[in-house]
Amino acid sequence: SIVGGGDTPLGGVFIHEIHADGPAEKGGKLKAGDQIVKVNDVDFRNLTHKEALNALRSSQDKVVLHFERKEETAPENIYQDISVTLVKKIGKGLGLSVVGRRDGPGVFRSALVTGGVADTNGQLL
């Protein structure tokens, strides 16, 4: 599965999870966190999340996927821990999407709904 897109704070399309017994796992080269750069002839660097999903779903039997992987030499604590209080409106969500880390505790904010509670709060840029 994928997360991100040019329309999200992640700024690109990333592999979120490799499904057991799927083609990606059987290929053995992709890892969660890899950035998808190109699939067949489609450049993924500026696609929105929805466009990326559509491109993957409409691909033929054979898929040539180009990806980039960040070096794993970064310091362990490169992320900022923050605490924010959001007041949920009755019958409404918080207006954000989160993605869990596979390599440790915590989550990433992957998207904010424009005009939603988290967006208007202004603390989650």
Side-chain angles (χ1 to χ4, degrees):
S1 61
I2 62 168
V3 294
D7 58 334
T8 72
L10 293 176
V13 178
F14 294 85
I15 295 174
H16 170 26
E17 185 175 18
I18 304 291
H19 294 285
D21 298 320
E25 183 188 58
K26 289 177 182 176
K29 294 184 179 179
L30 298 173
K31 293 170 66 175
D34 290 345
Q35 182 174 4
I36 301 173
V37 176
K38 186 176 181 182
V39 175
N40 296 332
D41 293 327
V42 180
D43 186 339
F44 268 53
R45 287 176 280 213
N46 295 312
L47 292 185
T48 66
H49 182 78
K50 187 174 182 177
E51 290 168 338
L53 283 175
N54 289 337
L56 288 170
R57 290 177 179 155
S58 66
S59 61
Q60 302 300 319
D61 291 337
K62 183 177 179 181
V63 174
V64 178
L65 190 140
H66 300 268
F67 66 95
E68 293 178 353
R69 180 172 296 149
K70 270 190 171 177
E71 294 295 324
E72 296 184 20
T73 58
E76 282 295 313
N77 193 12
I78 61 171
Y79 306 105
Q80 179 183 8
D81 293 333
I82 60 171
S83 178
V84 176
T85 301
L86 301 174
V87 179
K88 185 176 172 186
K89 297 178 182 175
I90 297 173
K92 300 283 184 179
L94 292 174
L96 75 151
S97 297
V98 295
V99 178
R101 289 183 56 191
R102 297 185 60 76
D103 60 348
V107 295
F108 294 101
R109 176 194 46 88
S110 62
L112 289 179
V113 175
T114 303
V117 173
D119 181 43
T120 56
N121 176 276
Q123 295 181 56
L124 297 173
L125 299 175

